[in-house]
Amino acid sequence: MKIYQVERPLVATNRIPGLEHRHLQVVRDGPVSAVAVDAVGCTPGDWVICVGSSAAREAAGSKEYPSDLTIVGIIDRWPPQETE
Amino acid sequence: MKIYQVERPLVATNRIPGLEHRHLQVVRDGPVSAVAVDAVGCTPGDWVICVGSSAAREAAGSKEYPSDLTIVGIIDRWPPQETE
Amino acid sequence: MKIYQVERPLVATNRIPGLEHRHLQVVRDGPVSAVAVDAVGCTPGDWVICVGSSAAREAAGSKEYPSDLTIVGIIDRWPPQETE
Amino acid sequence: MKIYQVERPLVATNRIPGLEHRHLQVVRDGPVSAVAVDAVGCTPGDWVICVGSSAAREAAGSKEYPSDLTIVGIIDRWPPQETE
Amino acid sequence: MKIYQVERPLVATNRIPGLEHRHLQVVRDGPVSAVAVDAVGCTPGDWVICVGSSAAREAAGSKEYPSDLTIVGIIDRWPPQETE
């Protein structure tokens, strides 16, 4: 899994039916941005864990769902404080 | 998923039967280009969402379709305007 | 598989049910960090082998588990000593 | 999928039985080279489309074939001429 | 598939049962190193073909084996001699 920060929702009205009406979020890891299916309900600024590969399909709710990147958790505190 | 811009159609007459006659598009993300199966019907210049990994097969219409990158949606407005 | 060093545990209270209560570890390979499901029980500083792709699901214990990176072993001695 | 140029055949006499006697080609995309199973019959210099991920197995002819990169088509004209 | 050179065996006594007692090899492609399951029986210095993705599982002998990189062949002559 990778750690990303949620940047903004992504709207794509013209989409394949298989994507349904799930929310898509633009997520960012430094210079790298990607689009993830939101399975937890997050808001811009959240630091999240995203799962890729074939596991992204299960994580999005069904083995048939066409996702290759799904937000599976919101990190409690990130970045970690060195003084902890 | 990744955001790409559609560049041009790609013609490959000599192909394996499994690819059928689906349209292939050259897509670009900065210096990186790739070839994607077009599942929505897009035109050069469109900003699109592409799904990779094993999900690209389902997204192309069937679990047996040999795609590792499929265009699954056209983004309404991209790049986003900061003034929104 | 890739060799990583375990950095710290990662806490994400708000997660999808499918992740269950498995421990997540932040792992690092030089400048690259990732999050892995801990299937062996390791501690920060350990050098570990992580498996990705769809094999990460089996390695985490079940074909349905939504992992794309799982710690599958702790390396006996790393980095190797050239004098061995 | 990715666009590669075929460089040369690759001979590996000592191989697992699962690879059978399929032809392997060294393919190149700028500084990146890879080895692909040839499912179309191409010759050095050809510009080809290669499919990766789990789709490479189906593309090589069977769900059990151990390929992660398979040549699925020869591009008619590449690179494209800007004057077209 | 990718071409790697075998560097050394990797010992990880504390491993998940699913890995069994298969030999693991550290393989290198320039600055990039990885760990592969050895399905052919190779020795340090050999140039080998490694298969990744979900095909690495089949190549390691079973659909359930948790590998994402498996050595599937030893290259007869590498690097190729330009005078051939």
Side-chain angles (χ1 to χ4, degrees):
Chain A
M1 287 70 72
K2 287 281 184 186
I3 294 171
Y4 289 97
Q5 189 171 27
V6 178
E7 204 170 270
R8 70 181 78 233
L10 187 68
V11 181
T13 309
N14 185 354
R15 48 165 78 186
I16 64 170
L19 275 185
E20 302 163 12
H21 294 289
R22 306 293 291 269
H23 288 288
L24 302 176
Q25 302 277 3
V26 179
V27 295
R28 179 169 291 280
D29 172 26
V32 177
S33 73
V35 177
V37 173
D38 186 356
V40 291
C42 50
T43 56
D46 284 347
W47 289 92
V48 295
I49 306 170
C50 288
V51 70
S53 189
S54 59
R57 301 186 329 223
E58 307 267 6
S62 127
K63 205 178 283 190
E64 277 74 35
Y65 192 86
S67 172
D68 65 358
L69 196 69
T70 302
I71 301 171
V72 294
I74 301 175
I75 304 173
D76 287 18
R77 272 194 292 184
W78 197 262
Q81 300 182 324
E82 290 306 328
T83 57
E84 287 182 75
Chain B
M1 286 70 74
K2 287 281 183 186
I3 294 170
Y4 289 97
Q5 189 170 27
V6 178
E7 205 169 271
R8 70 181 78 234
L10 187 68
V11 181
T13 309
N14 186 354
R15 48 165 79 185
I16 63 169
L19 275 184
E20 301 163 14
H21 295 290
R22 307 292 293 270
H23 288 288
L24 302 176
Q25 300 277 3
V26 179
V27 295
R28 181 169 290 281
D29 172 26
V32 177
S33 72
V35 177
V37 172
D38 186 355
V40 292
C42 50
T43 56
D46 283 346
W47 289 93
V48 294
I49 306 170
C50 289
V51 70
S53 188
S54 59
R57 301 187 328 225
E58 307 267 7
S62 127
K63 204 178 283 191
E64 277 74 35
Y65 192 86
S67 171
D68 66 358
L69 195 69
T70 302
I71 301 171
V72 294
I74 301 175
I75 303 173
D76 287 17
R77 272 193 294 182
W78 196 261
Q81 301 182 322
E82 290 306 329
T83 55
E84 286 181 77
Chain C
M1 287 70 73
K2 287 283 183 186
I3 294 171
Y4 288 98
Q5 189 170 27
V6 178
E7 205 171 88
R8 70 181 78 235
L10 187 68
V11 182
T13 310
N14 186 354
R15 48 165 79 186
I16 63 169
L19 275 184
E20 302 163 12
H21 294 289
R22 306 295 292 271
H23 288 288
L24 302 176
Q25 301 276 4
V26 179
V27 295
R28 179 170 292 280
D29 171 25
V32 177
S33 72
V35 178
V37 172
D38 186 355
V40 292
C42 50
T43 56
D46 283 347
W47 289 93
V48 295
I49 306 171
C50 289
V51 70
S53 189
S54 59
R57 300 186 329 223
E58 307 268 7
S62 128
K63 204 179 284 189
E64 277 75 35
Y65 191 86
S67 172
D68 65 357
L69 195 70
T70 302
I71 301 171
V72 294
I74 301 176
I75 304 172
D76 287 18
R77 272 194 292 184
W78 196 261
Q81 303 181 323
E82 289 306 328
T83 57
E84 288 182 74
Chain D
M1 285 72 73
K2 286 281 183 187
I3 294 170
Y4 289 98
Q5 190 171 27
V6 178
E7 205 170 89
R8 69 180 79 235
L10 187 67
V11 182
T13 309
N14 185 354
R15 48 166 78 186
I16 64 169
L19 275 184
E20 302 164 12
H21 294 289
R22 307 293 293 271
H23 288 288
L24 302 176
Q25 300 277 4
V26 179
V27 295
R28 181 170 290 280
D29 172 25
V32 177
S33 72
V35 177
V37 173
D38 185 355
V40 292
C42 50
T43 57
D46 283 346
W47 289 92
V48 295
I49 306 171
C50 289
V51 70
S53 188
S54 59
R57 300 186 329 222
E58 307 268 7
S62 126
K63 204 178 284 190
E64 278 73 37
Y65 192 86
S67 172
D68 66 357
L69 195 70
T70 302
I71 301 171
V72 294
I74 301 175
I75 304 173
D76 287 18
R77 272 193 293 181
W78 196 262
Q81 302 182 322
E82 290 307 328
T83 56
E84 287 181 75
Chain E
M1 286 71 71
K2 287 282 183 187
I3 294 170
Y4 289 98
Q5 190 171 27
V6 178
E7 205 170 271
R8 71 181 77 234
L10 187 68
V11 181
T13 310
N14 186 354
R15 47 165 79 185
I16 62 169
L19 275 184
E20 303 164 11
H21 295 289
R22 306 294 291 273
H23 288 288
L24 302 176
Q25 302 276 5
V26 179
V27 295
R28 181 170 291 281
D29 172 25
V32 177
S33 72
V35 177
V37 173
D38 185 355
V40 292
C42 49
T43 57
D46 283 347
W47 288 92
V48 295
I49 307 171
C50 289
V51 71
S53 189
S54 59
R57 300 184 330 221
E58 307 267 7
S62 127
K63 204 179 285 188
E64 277 74 37
Y65 191 87
S67 172
D68 67 356
L69 195 70
T70 301
I71 301 171
V72 294
I74 301 175
I75 304 172
D76 287 18
R77 272 194 294 183
W78 196 262
Q81 302 182 322
E82 290 306 328
T83 56
E84 287 182 74

